[in-house]
Amino acid sequence: MSCCILIAGMPASGKTTFAASLSKALDLPMVSKDRIKELMYDHIGYTTHAEKVKLSTAATGVLYYFAESLMRTGRPFILENNFENVTKPGLQRLLEEYRYRPVTVRFGGDVRVIYERYLAREQTAGRHGGHRASNAWPPQNAGVLAVPLTMEDFVAGVAQRGIAEFTVGGEEILVDAADFTRVSYEDITAQVRRLLGRYTGPPEIR
């Protein structure tokens, strides 16, 4: 049995940065849905909310295509995404079919702090167009929101989509990302490394 490391949790909680660090530290391949969305947006784009949803759905499909390709090798790897309820069945199917053990590193914390961080990120002029928030229609100049998402809507969206509590079983490492100065990449990486040693080993003889 091999292991798939899932970097999950709330938007603006530091998942992508940590996933890149973990990939380098453990010398493991890492695939990020956000990066796939950026590439697709650069070449395809979207002009309506419906088109944005289609692009996001397609990006999930590409993410899972890469995951399945890596699972065929029987080696561990990392997936980074705002995993949510709608994406769970496809991931569970792959884990069961290829007998992979999930290890989830889930980022969360004080929702008020993370919301403020999310808001600041969305209002940054340099924010990639592929991540424009759903309420930014029609698109604003330089990607800056004219009407920011309220904290109530942010919390409701996270809850409705099941992002903060996402799980597909297996071991879970919970990270309080409200204060980045108190998050130790070294400690989290050490925990993941220990679990990798537990769940990976010589290929099974079939």
Side-chain angles (χ1 to χ4, degrees), residues 13 34 47 54 58 88 108 127 133 135 141 145 162 164 183 188 198 202:
S13 60
D34 274 358
T47 58
K54 287 183 179 181
K88 187 181 295 188
R127 181 71 167 149
N135 66 329
N141 292 334
L145 295 183
V183 175
I188 305 169
R198 182 187 305 175

Side-chain angles (χ1 to χ4, degrees), residues 124-142:
T124 300
R127 181 71 167 149
H128 194 283
H131 306 305
R132 188 182 296 115
S134 297
N135 66 329
W137 304 104
Q140 305 299 321
N141 292 334

Side-chain angles (χ1 to χ4, degrees), residues 189-203:
T189 299
Q191 293 181 64
V192 173
R193 196 188 299 274
R194 285 194 294 271
L195 291 172
L196 276 175
R198 182 187 305 175
Y199 295 128
T200 61

Side-chain angles (χ1 to χ4, degrees), residues 26-194:
L26 300 182
D27 194 24
L28 293 178
M30 186 273 286
V31 186
S32 167
K33 179 186 171 183
D34 274 358
R35 182 55 182 149
I36 295 171
K37 284 174 63 178
E38 290 171 358
L39 292 169
M40 294 178 72
Y41 177 85
D42 288 344
H43 291 279
I44 301 171
Y46 54 79
T47 58
T48 68
H49 181 246
E51 290 177 359
K52 177 193 174 183
V53 171
K54 287 183 179 181
L55 186 142
S56 182
T57 301
T60 298
V62 174
L63 179 73
Y64 287 171
Y65 167 78
F66 276 113
E68 185 166 17
S69 297
L70 291 166
M71 285 178 175
R72 291 195 182 104
T73 72
R75 298 175 182 177
F77 61 94
I78 302 166
L79 295 182
E80 185 270 322
N81 184 22
N82 287 336
F83 290 102
E84 53 187 291
N85 292 335
V86 71
T87 64
K88 187 181 295 188
L91 181 58
Q92 288 179 318
R93 179 190 67 79
L94 291 175
L95 293 170
E96 293 170 4
E97 181 175 347
Y98 290 92
R99 302 176 67 183
Y100 262 66
R101 180 79 175 183
V103 171
T104 302
V105 182
R106 191 166 66 240
F107 284 67
D110 187 329
V111 67
R112 294 167 297 180
V113 174
I114 293 179
Y115 164 73
E116 292 296 336
R117 190 185 299 152
Y118 165 86
L119 193 62
R121 185 180 70 177
E122 293 301 317
Q123 293 180 315
T124 300
R127 181 71 167 149
H128 194 283
H131 306 305
R132 188 182 296 115
S134 297
N135 66 329
W137 304 104
Q140 305 299 321
N141 292 334
V144 178
L145 295 183
V147 182
L149 191 71
T150 66
M151 188 176 77
E152 290 73 17
D153 287 341
F154 176 80
V155 172
V158 167
Q160 183 179 20
R161 294 162 63 188
I163 293 175
E165 304 299 331
F166 179 87
T167 181
V168 284
E171 300 287 348
E172 297 182 356
I173 300 171
L174 306 182
V175 180
D176 186 344
D179 184 353
F180 284 148
T181 66
R182 303 185 67 176
V183 175
S184 171
Y185 282 9
E186 291 78 10
D187 288 349
I188 305 169
T189 299
Q191 293 181 64
V192 173
R193 196 188 299 274
R194 285 194 294 271

